[in-house]
Amino acid sequence: MKTIKAMSIAAVAALSLMSAASFAQTVTASSLTLDGAEAKIAAQAQQQGEQYKIIEASNGNVVHMTAELYK
């Protein structure tokens, strides 16, 4: 019983140390060109003081791009 309680307390303590900001945020942008969509993603990342990693881009009549922001 003491072991379970100690493990629960340790788990809660570990989770409380993780801030919500440590998780990647997903952002999207659309433009007529790949360069235009990436520029919009870069602007969003710069505004939040973060870096970005493009995880998806699709092309139809316009380019739609998705990226993850991270510190």
Side-chain angles (χ1 to χ4, degrees), residues 25 27 42-51 69 71:
Q25 176 186 357
V27 295
Q44 291 178 49
Q46 183 179 22
Q47 182 180 18
Q48 296 185 29
E50 298 187 352
Q51 298 178 355
L69 302 183
K71 296 231 179 247

Side-chain angles (χ1 to χ4, degrees), residues 30-53:
S30 297
S31 181
L32 295 176
T33 65
L34 283 170
D35 289 339
E38 185 172 2
K40 289 180 180 181
I41 295 286
Q44 291 178 49
Q46 183 179 22
Q47 182 180 18
Q48 296 185 29
E50 298 187 352
Q51 298 178 355
Y52 66 95
K53 175 183 172 184

Side-chain angles (χ1 to χ4, degrees), residues 51-70:
Q51 298 178 355
Y52 66 95
K53 175 183 172 184
I54 297 170
I55 57 174
E56 177 269 334
S58 61
N59 187 356
N61 291 334
V62 296
V63 174
H64 176 80
M65 189 175 286
T66 304
E68 288 182 344
L69 302 183
Y70 61 93

